[in-house]
Amino acid sequence: MYNFILAKEIEGVPTEFQVFPYGAIEVEGNQPVIFDDESMNLIINTFNRRGNEIVIDYEHQTLKNDKAPAAGWIKRLVNKGTKGLWAVVEWTATASNYLTNREYRYFSPVFHVRKNDNKIINLFNVALTNSPRINHLK
């Protein structure tokens, strides 16, 4: 079991963004991870079953046992086939200002990878960050 953190650049204040592209994802300093139809279905089914929005925090503060204010909330996950998994998001006023001013430029999902096939199988949360670990994400 591995936990990886990815990042993607955000422009402006999007109402939705791509959480994972479809296929192999290159992570700096780690083996590529795989995101496919099974990954998409597992993540969306877990999200729908739980019925809770997923927090978007700042700099992974939720993982640090520290004060972790929300930057936004993932309201819905969307399967866009070969365009990957997308999140419909509602930002807080503070995060909207950060994004508008380009004080934060990237997002970084925290996820679980199945060890035997390096496939993403769960999404825990997402952070706004300026320190991305993903390479060449479009």
Side-chain angles (χ1 to χ4, degrees):
M1 293 186 208
Y2 298 98
N3 288 324
F4 288 101
I5 300 172
L6 301 181
K8 173 156 176 37
E9 183 172 355
I10 295 175
E11 293 187 22
V13 184
T15 56
E16 65 177 41
F17 61 88
Q18 183 189 59
V19 179
F20 298 115
Y22 194 90
I25 301 171
E26 186 181 328
V27 181
E28 184 65 26
N30 292 295
Q31 295 180 15
V33 295
I34 305 301
F35 188 81
D36 62 8
D37 292 329
E38 180 187 17
S39 302
M40 191 122 44
N41 291 331
L42 286 168
I43 291 169
I44 290 173
N45 289 341
T46 298
F47 178 81
N48 291 337
R49 179 185 57 77
R50 295 211 53 222
N52 297 331
E53 297 172 358
I54 296 174
V55 69
I56 302 171
D57 67 14
Y58 299 97
E59 305 294 347
H60 299 292
Q61 290 173 322
T62 302
L63 302 176
K64 299 175 184 174
N65 278 338
D66 197 4
K67 184 177 179 182
W73 296 94
I74 294 175
K75 310 291 271 179
R76 188 165 49 95
L77 292 171
V78 180
N79 177 343
K80 291 198 177 183
T82 58
K83 292 182 180 180
L85 179 69
W86 287 67
V88 176
V89 64
E90 180 180 276
W91 300 104
T92 65
T94 301
S96 291
N97 287 332
Y98 282 142
L99 292 167
T100 298
N101 296 329
R102 296 182 59 80
E103 293 176 70
Y104 276 102
R105 292 185 56 193
Y106 299 95
F107 75 84
S108 178
V110 178
F111 56 94
H112 182 234
V113 172
R114 189 167 53 205
K115 190 174 185 176
N116 68 334
D117 59 5
N118 235 27
K119 191 178 291 189
I120 297 171
I121 59 170
N122 197 9
L123 173 65
F124 294 107
N125 61 29
V126 177
L128 288 179
T129 185
N130 287 323
S131 301
R133 287 193 54 211
I134 191 167
N135 297 330
H136 310 293
L137 184 60
K138 295 180 175 136

